[in-house]
Amino acid sequence: MPRGPRADRPQQPRLERPVSTLHVDLDLVRKHNVAGPRYTSYPPATKFTGDFSREELAARIEANNRSDRDLSLYFHIPFCETLCWFCGCTTVITTDHSRGHAYIDLLEKEIAVMRGRINPARKVSQLHFGGGSPTFLQPDEIRRLGDLIRRNFEFSSDIEAGVEVDPRRLSRDHLVALREAGFNRASMGVQDFDPKVQEAIHRIQPRAMTEQAVAWMRELGFASVNLDLIYGLPHQTVASFEQTLATVLEMGPDRLSVFSYAHVPWIKPAQKILEQKNLPAPEEKLRLLKLVIERLTEGDRYVYIGMDHFARPDDELAVAQRERKLQRNFQGYSTRAGADIYSFGMSSISQIPDAYWQNEKELSVYQDVVESGREAWHRAYLMTEEDMIRRDVIMRLMCDLSLDFAETSSRLGIEFTRHFAQELTALAPYEADGLVSRDDSGIRVTDTGRLFLRNIAMCFDATLSPSGERRHSQTV
C-alpha cells in the first residue's frame, strides 16, 4: 500500500494579505484561458474508473480506520422541483416530496453498511449537505436525518456544519430544523438578481426572497452565510451585473463564490437550451470577470482566496489561508485539515489519503445496491505514491500560494527541484507574465496569479490529457 507524504508540516510563516484591490489584466486572461481541471481532487474525478479492485479499496478503507483521524461527512440530497438550465450538478427533478422520506431510508441503510467499516473513535469535525437541494426535504425530515447522523457518529465540539439551501422554497422552519441538526453555516445560490437573466436560466428568485432567507439565518445564529453568483449567463452585461454585485454587497455575506458559467452540454444536455439565448460574447464575459474581482476586493471588502472564492478578511477561510491551514476538496476550499471525507447518497464522492470512491450515479441503481446490503461504490481511484506527492504539491500551491523547496523535499521524501525539473521549466511562461515568482528557495504565486491557479497547478499534473482532448471547463 502506498506510503505517501507525511501528514505533518513544519510551521510556515503566515501569508501576507493581498493588495487592497486586485486589477485584472484581460490580455493575460485571453492568453491563459484554456480547458483544465478544477482540482477539487488530484487526480481529477475524470480519472476515476469502474475498473478497480473492490478488495483493494476495502483494504485501504480498513487501514484508514486504524487511525482516529477526524471525519468529514457529506450527504448528497439530489432532489430539485425544477431544473435550472445552467446547472451542472447531479440532480433528480421531481415535485413528489414523498421521495425525500424514502431517500432517507436509503441513507439509513447505507450508513448501516458503511458504519461497520468506520472506527467508532473517530469524531466528525465537518458535516455538509449538498445537492440538488437539501431543503427539498421537509423540516421534520431534516430533523430525522440529523438524528440519524448523530446516532451513528460523534460530533466534535467545534464542528463546522454547512448546508446548501434553496431560498425559493425555504421556510423559517427549514432553517430551525437545520440549526437543531447542528448546522452553523449556509450557502445559497443567487446567480444573478436581474429578472431577465433569471427568466433565461429558468430560476426566478426575487431579491426580497433572498434577503428574507439571509435575515432568518442571521436571526437563528448561523455563523457564516455564503452566496453563489455566476457570470457568463444569458443577457448579462457589465452594467447589469454591477447592479447584482451592489445588491449582494448590501446583504453583506461572509463569503462569496463567483463562478464562471461552465458550458458543458456533452455532460448536461439541458445546457443546450442556453445556446438559444443571448449568451455574453467572450470579451463581455472577460469584462464581467474583471468587474467581479476588482469590485469585491476594493477597499479590503473581501480577500480573493483564489479561483472562485472570496471571504471577509476576518472570516475563517481567509484566516486559514494566511496561517497555511487551508485545504481543498470536493466542496471547494475548506478550513479543516486532516479530516477524511466519507460520503453518503447517490453520486457522492469519498476521500481518504490513498483512495477516492464515488457512489452509483443513478438513483434507481443506487437504491437497488443499497437495499441489497452492499456498498454503493461505482467508480474509484487508488492512489500511487507518486499521485500523493503530486496531489500534495498541487493542493499546497492552490491553498498556500507558495512552495518552499527544502520544506517540501523533507516532507515528501524527495529532492524537489530534481523530481520536478520538467514541471519547473513549464512554469517559465507564468514567471514571464508575473503570475509566479521563483528563486532558489521556492515558488510564490503573485496576487495576479491567484486568478490562474488552475493553470499553474496543471504544470504538476501527470494525468493531464492533451489540450484538444480535455473535457473540462475553461480555467478562467
Side-chain angles (χ1 to χ4, degrees):
M1 190 173 298
R3 174 181 61 83
R6 298 204 315 270
D8 56 311
R9 289 199 296 144
Q11 184 66 36
Q12 297 291 309
R14 290 165 61 101
L15 284 173
E16 295 296 323
R17 287 270 293 277
V19 295
S20 179
T21 302
L22 292 176
H23 297 285
V24 178
D25 184 333
L26 293 184
D27 288 334
L28 287 177
V29 175
R30 294 183 192 99
K31 179 178 179 179
H32 295 295
N33 192 20
V34 298
R38 298 186 60 81
Y39 295 113
T40 50
S41 70
Y42 178 83
T46 51
K47 301 299 179 181
F48 295 2
T49 176
D51 184 20
F52 68 95
S53 167
R54 298 179 74 89
E55 293 75 16
E56 175 64 16
L57 176 57
R60 294 190 182 198
I61 293 172
E62 180 182 356
N64 175 253
N65 279 284
R66 296 188 190 116
S67 77
D68 59 358
R69 286 161 53 95
D70 282 354
L71 294 173
S72 176
L73 301 182
Y74 174 76
F75 288 82
H76 189 75
I77 315 298
F79 304 110
C80 292
E81 286 194 13
T82 58
L83 178 63
C84 301
W85 289 333
F86 61 83
C87 182
C89 301
T90 302
T91 59
V92 174
I93 307 302
T94 181
T95 57
D96 181 2
H97 281 264
S98 68
R99 299 183 71 175
H101 182 83
Y103 189 75
I104 296 174
D105 289 343
L106 293 175
L107 292 175
E108 184 169 17
K109 291 175 182 177
E110 186 186 0
I111 290 173
V113 170
M114 283 300 295
R115 193 68 186 92
R117 295 187 179 274
I118 300 176
N119 182 350
R122 304 181 74 171
K123 291 188 177 180
V124 178
S125 62
Q126 274 188 322
L127 174 66
H128 191 84
F129 283 5
S133 177
T135 48
F136 176 92
L137 300 177
Q138 299 303 302
D140 284 347
E141 292 170 339
I142 292 171
R143 294 183 175 95
R144 178 192 166 199
L145 181 54
D147 289 343
L148 170 62
I149 296 168
R150 284 185 176 276
R151 286 200 310 272
N152 285 277
F153 300 95
E154 183 178 353
F155 287 6
S156 63
S157 59
D158 62 343
I159 187 171
E160 178 187 275
V163 59
E164 299 167 16
V165 305
D166 183 348
R168 295 173 299 167
R169 298 170 182 89
L170 186 73
S171 69
R172 187 178 182 279
D173 196 32
H174 277 100
L175 295 172
V176 171
L178 287 166
R179 289 291 287 139
E180 291 172 0
F183 287 91
N184 49 31
R185 295 180 178 273
S187 181
M188 285 189 296
V190 170
Q191 323 322 335
D192 195 312
F193 281 118
D194 188 311
K196 191 174 182 180
V197 176
Q198 291 185 1
E199 182 178 359
I201 64 176
H202 201 226
R203 185 185 176 99
I204 305 301
Q205 184 177 319
R207 170 179 176 166
M209 186 181 289
T210 302
E211 287 178 326
Q212 177 65 84
V214 171
W216 281 336
M217 290 172 186
R218 299 298 191 199
E219 173 197 345
L220 293 170
F222 282 83
S224 178
V225 176
N226 175 85
L227 297 182
D228 289 347
L229 303 177
I230 294 180
Y231 66 92
L233 296 173
H235 305 298
Q236 284 179 333
T237 65
V238 169
S240 71
F241 206 59
E242 190 158 19
Q243 290 300 310
T244 285
L245 289 175
T247 301
V248 166
L249 290 171
E250 289 177 15
M251 295 182 185
D254 302 282
R255 300 177 185 176
L256 279 160
S257 299
V258 189
F259 300 101
S260 169
Y261 167 58
H263 192 60
V264 287
W266 59 88
I267 299 174
K268 295 294 177 181
Q271 291 187 347
K272 292 179 181 178
I273 298 171
L274 297 189
E275 295 175 358
Q276 305 164 21
K277 311 287 182 176
N278 185 21
L279 285 167
E283 284 298 307
E284 185 75 0
K285 189 174 181 182
L286 294 184
R287 286 191 285 270
L288 288 167
L289 168 65
K290 180 178 174 69
L291 167 70
V292 167
I293 295 177
E294 294 181 356
R295 188 86 161 85
L296 293 183
T297 61
E298 184 179 30
D300 266 352
R301 282 194 185 97
Y302 292 92
V303 173
Y304 182 32
I305 301 298
M307 294 185 60
D308 322 295
H309 290 65
F310 300 81
R312 289 190 178 278
D314 59 351
D315 184 87
E316 187 178 6
L317 202 66
V319 172
Q321 185 173 62
R322 291 198 295 274
E323 296 182 348
R324 299 178 184 273
K325 297 177 181 178
L326 196 63
Q327 302 293 308
R328 187 160 174 77
N329 57 35
F330 289 101
Q331 282 81 59
Y333 282 107
S334 167
T335 59
R336 302 301 169 97
D340 297 323
I341 303 173
Y342 280 76
S343 298
F344 300 87
M346 60 169 277
S347 82
S348 63
I349 300 176
S350 300
Q351 174 183 343
I352 58 178
D354 58 359
Y356 301 99
W357 64 96
Q358 182 174 25
N359 278 355
E360 295 286 353
K361 296 183 72 172
E362 298 295 330
L363 181 55
S364 59
V365 180
Y366 169 77
Q367 178 178 337
D368 289 344
V369 172
V370 170
E371 288 184 340
S372 73
R374 293 177 288 130
E375 293 89 355
W377 307 335
H378 171 56
R379 298 192 306 156
Y381 190 94
L382 305 179
M383 302 283 284
T384 65
E385 188 163 339
E386 179 65 16
D387 289 332
M388 288 187 274
I389 289 171
R390 289 179 179 270
R391 175 178 62 192
D392 186 280
V393 169
I394 287 172
M395 295 307 162
R396 297 301 8 119
L397 273 172
M398 299 193 80
C399 295
D400 297 347
L401 308 175
S402 65
L403 276 176
D404 180 277
F405 292 155
E407 183 275 326
T408 306
S409 296
S410 174
R411 178 163 45 82
L412 300 183
I414 60 173
E415 186 178 337
F416 187 92
T417 54
R418 177 178 296 175
H419 194 97
F420 290 110
Q422 290 183 338
E423 288 78 3
L424 291 173
T425 299
L427 284 175
Y430 303 111
E431 289 184 76
D433 287 337
L435 308 182
V436 296
S437 62
R438 178 160 57 109
D439 57 26
D440 291 340
S441 65
I443 306 166
R444 185 180 71 85
V445 178
T446 67
D447 288 329
T448 302
R450 291 177 186 235
L451 181 58
F452 303 93
L453 283 174
R454 292 165 71 179
N455 303 72
I456 296 165
M458 285 161 62
C459 294
F460 295 89
D461 185 344
T463 71
L464 198 62
S465 302
S467 59
E469 300 175 14
R470 294 176 200 158
R471 307 294 272 179
H472 300 287
S473 61
Q474 298 297 106
T475 54
V476 183

